Amino acid sequence: MWAYFLKRMFLIIPTLIGITLVSFLIMQMVPGGPVEQALQRMKMAAQTEGGPGFGSGALQTAVTSAELENIKKYYGFDQPVLTRYFRWLKNLLRLDLGTSYTYEKPVSTVIAGRIPVSLTFGLTGLFLTYLVCIPLGIKKALKHGETYDHWTSILVFLGYSIPAFALGVLLIVFLAGGSFLALFPTSGFVSDYFEDLTFLGKVLDILHHMFLPLVCYTIGGFATLTLLMKNSLMEELNKDYIRTALAKGLTYRQAVFRHGLRNGLIPIVTNIGMIIGVILSGSFLIETIFTIDGMGLLGYQSIVNRDYPVALGLLVISSLLMLVGRIISDFCLVLVDPRIRFR
Amino acid sequence: METALLEVKNLAVHFQTAGEPGGAGIAGGVSAGVIKAVDGVSFQLLPGETFGLVGESGCGKSVTALSLLKLLPTPPAILAGGEVIYRPEKKRPGKDLWQLPHGDLLKLRGKEISLIFQEPMTSLNPVMKIGRQIGEALRIHSAEKTPAAKEIRREVLAMLTRVGIHHPERAYDAYPHELSGGMRQRAMIAMALICRPKLVIADEPTTALDVTIQAQILELLKELQASYHLSLLLITHNLGIIAETAHRVAVMYMGRIVELASVKELFHNPLHPYTLGLFSSIPRLDKEEALAAIPGMVPDPLRLPAGCYFAPRCPKAMEVCHREYPMSREVAPGHTVACWLQEK
Ligand SMILES: Nc1ncnc2c1ncn2[C@@H]1O[C@H](COP(=O)(O)OP(=O)(O)OP(=O)(O)O)[C@@H](O)[C@H]1O
Ligand code: SF4
Ligand SMILES: [Mg+2]
């Protein structure tokens, strides 16, 4: 079985090459790349030099072919696509993701700057989702068809159906000083006076800032996981082995928690890998609304600005997480379900 | 007659069915109503005897078995009436299991009265090791709060050996799917016997198994029943199994017992036309056969005939049979039949 997982690990490499190669090629075809942008900037500069409005038409062809070559060389576009791809890949092996066009800093530095924020949101979100959904799903299963089951269903589906950005705007308006209460800060991840706080103060400050965005991040995911937990447990509770457990003299609660729950958790545990895949992805809309410098915003801007090195770097990270997440899922499945053995 | 260990009197278990919209009683579509799955069943289980309960699929055998210990989920089941008097000590009066406080009933379940189910694969928890599942019964019924794990393990291993498992250590640490069907059923039997119960209810314990394994398991049950002096309520639809294992037998049809006698008496002198029908479709122990050879169909449980439930299929049905249900009559000592033919 270890051989199986080792094989899966090795398979990540060709998969990753496939994903990045396709993305690399597609990026070359999209208009508005860095060379064109540089030319645009030069034109603008030339126009300003010539004075606004005066005979600018004459200067339009100011960029000589030599200069164009220089620009291309600067961005590495003087080489054929595949050559460039393999150079990028070789650098990747040395963990060098290149230099961001926009920030003119190493891509790894740019991305690393965003990781703490996004990872904090991702991990707390994950933790919170499981913390809410598992007990809620269990209770709903035990109270299936009762009033409690109905109103919690309404709540989670409300959370599911409301778009995160709309909720974000609503929360800011009502709770973060928009028009009513000002219980939470509108934006940012820490306060201006963050450095002066004690450790506990820092934690509280971050939590205070995180609360509203976190609600937006997680609320849509509650429904799926809660219902998955509920349905999976209810299915188990109808099985024969529960009756066996009762016949042994266990109370219903004991039968549920000692026998049904572990079986009912199997699909939930396998879900973990999927969530790990998106743990760093952030959300562009939520980050924009709450002015958080996270991965979602970075990814969006890197594509709009054609900042290919950053876009590719993010792609590598998220693909890697996704692929590793799958393997973790399967591994968890083996841990919790003795019937499953991979070869 | 000896004092009964378990006396079941007029047991009635119903099911409330929701039905389907538009199906109210008209052909096609399922109508809503109450199904009388068990409708006035009475019998006694003597200490140390094997009592067979035989009948076609759907006649209410499992419902009877599960309702004794109140193991049916309610709803949909309705424990409509009757008494289940359990009398473990001859000198003291018995207690009605249905009236017992829930906590007291839990103490009896698995300890004094235990069950063996038909399908050992689904009746065992797939993610818990066999040994733990068997030991759990010991653990929850132990007098001490935290019984010694070693002691429990020792007892479970001994019981696994007792039920004929050759590598008890290996079986102890196996998950259900790692054992063969026969081994699983042996483990199930070990689980039922681990607390040394007085009464074991076995609901079609061999139906799910291969024919050769069936014989082995039956042999084992018979041997354990004798050596532990168990009362065994053996449910089956196979008269051959009854002939091999039971001392007395009740024949069930549509939620009622139609004939009850000692196995000897029943096999030599069957009186109820339904019993006769069962014999004519005789299944042999080495050949699994459904009891479908009786002509006609089982009536819709929601629209029962006014008279004898067997009348629509009975070759000897008379006018009175369609009008009124026959009372049970003792035609010979210990042999009762519910049939108008016996009324003259
Ligand atoms: N959960 C339920 N809901 C509604 N009706 C039920 C339910 N369980 C059992 N019944 C009814 O009770 C009747 C008797 O069922 P039971 O399981 O006792 O039959 P059985 O004699 O054990 O048959 P088998 O040989 O197939 O095990 C069935 O015909 C069915 O109509
Ligand atoms: S009572 Fe009548 S219908 Fe019923 S079994 Fe006897 S003879 Fe047949
Ligand atoms: Mg049954």
Side-chain angles (χ1 to χ4, degrees), chain B residues 272-274 308-312 314-318 321 326 338-341:
Chain B
H272 196 282
Y274 177 65
C308 172
Y309 295 164
F310 193 54
C314 180
K316 296 181 187 152
M318 304 164 287
C321 304
C339 172
W340 286 117
L341 289 175

Side-chain angles (χ1 to χ4, degrees), chain A residues 239-241 243-251 254 258-260 262-263 266 336-341, chain B residues 66 71 106 109-110 113 115 117 119 122-128 133 136-137 140-141 175 177 188 191:
Chain A
K239 289 197 176 162
D240 288 350
Y241 67 82
R243 197 183 54 196
T244 308
L246 294 174
K248 245 186 248 180
L250 266 69
T251 65
Q254 285 171 328
R258 291 188 196 173
H259 293 272
R262 171 129 189 242
N263 285 286
I266 291 173
V336 293
D337 191 340
R339 286 163 296 183
I340 308 255
R341 284 286 170 271
Chain B
L66 291 171
L71 282 169
L106 288 182
R109 281 184 190 165
I113 306 176
L115 282 109
F117 295 104
E119 184 44 81
T122 57
S123 298
L124 291 166
N125 183 346
V127 301
M128 197 189 268
Q133 296 196 49
E136 187 178 32
I140 56 174
H141 291 299
Y175 290 99
H177 72 277
M188 192 82 202
M191 189 191 290

Side-chain angles (χ1 to χ4, degrees), chain A residues 180-197:
Chain A
F180 296 91
L181 300 169
L183 297 175
F184 295 98
T186 12
S187 62
F189 190 58
V190 292
S191 302
D192 298 336
Y193 47 84
F194 186 70
E195 288 307 320
D196 305 331
L197 293 169

Side-chain angles (χ1 to χ4, degrees), chain A residues 106-280:
Chain A
V107 171
S108 44
T109 317
V110 174
I111 292 179
R114 308 291 182 108
I115 284 184
V117 175
S118 285
L119 194 64
T120 314
F121 274 111
L123 282 179
T124 31
L126 174 79
F127 187 66
L128 197 72
T129 309
Y130 276 82
L131 198 71
V132 169
C133 295
I134 290 179
L136 186 61
I138 295 172
K139 193 156 181 199
K140 280 169 73 68
L142 292 177
K143 293 189 177 280
H144 174 68
E146 295 176 25
T147 328
Y148 177 87
D149 185 29
H150 292 314
W151 70 258
T152 48
S153 283
I154 293 175
L155 280 190
V156 292
F157 276 110
L158 220 60
Y160 179 72
S161 45
I162 188 166
F165 65 90
L167 180 70
V169 172
L170 277 179
L171 288 176
I172 289 184
V173 169
F174 284 98
L175 296 178
S179 332
F180 296 91
L181 300 169
L183 297 175
F184 295 98
T186 12
S187 62
F189 190 58
V190 292
S191 302
D192 298 336
Y193 47 84
F194 186 70
E195 288 307 320
D196 305 331
L197 293 169
T198 60
F199 178 72
L200 187 67
K202 282 181 181 169
V203 171
L204 288 177
D205 188 58
I206 289 180
L207 287 180
H208 194 205
H209 281 80
M210 274 177 69
F211 186 81
L212 293 185
L214 200 58
V215 168
C216 297
Y217 267 128
T218 49
I219 203 153
F222 284 165
T224 329
L225 197 63
T226 304
L227 287 202
L228 183 65
M229 180 72 234
K230 180 194 169 186
N231 292 338
S232 149
L233 183 58
M234 277 189 43
E235 200 180 314
E236 294 303 323
L237 295 186
N238 281 324
K239 289 197 176 162
D240 288 350
Y241 67 82
I242 294 288
R243 197 183 54 196
T244 308
L246 294 174
K248 245 186 248 180
L250 266 69
T251 65
Y252 189 65
R253 264 190 97 76
Q254 285 171 328
V256 171
F257 285 96
R258 291 188 196 173
H259 293 272
L261 189 57
R262 171 129 189 242
N263 285 286
L265 277 174
I266 291 173
I268 306 290
V269 170
T270 16
N271 203 42
I272 271 187
M274 302 296 144
I275 294 187
I276 285 175
V278 293
I279 205 166
L280 265 181

Side-chain angles (χ1 to χ4, degrees), chain A residues 14-85:
Chain A
T15 318
L16 206 58
I17 290 179
I19 293 174
T20 49
L21 179 60
V22 170
S23 315
F24 203 92
L25 294 180
I26 289 174
M27 283 181 185
Q28 310 307 313
M29 291 185 235
V30 184
V35 176
E36 286 157 59
Q37 284 185 25
L39 291 179
Q40 195 68 33
R41 276 198 300 275
M42 288 179 67
K43 271 182 212 161
M44 303 269 276
Q47 281 174 9
T48 340
E49 260 167 44
F54 291 104
S56 49
L59 285 161
Q60 278 219 329
T61 47
V63 183
T64 66
S65 60
E67 274 174 313
L68 186 64
E69 277 312 303
N70 269 339
I71 295 169
K72 281 192 172 173
K73 205 170 197 137
Y74 176 77
Y75 288 108
F77 277 64
D78 53 337
Q79 307 279 329
V81 180
L82 280 182
T83 320
R84 275 186 284 134
Y85 174 71

Side-chain angles (χ1 to χ4, degrees), chain B residues 129-131 160 165 167-175 179 183:
Chain B
K129 289 182 179 168
I130 294 283
L160 284 172
I165 289 179
H167 302 284
E169 300 269 353
R170 215 186 293 162
Y172 189 99
D173 284 318
Y175 290 99
L179 299 182
M183 285 297 135

Side-chain angles (χ1 to χ4, degrees), chain B residues 34 41 48 214 245 317-318 335:
Chain B
V34 172
V41 161
Q214 282 194 12
T245 14
M318 304 164 287
H335 187 171

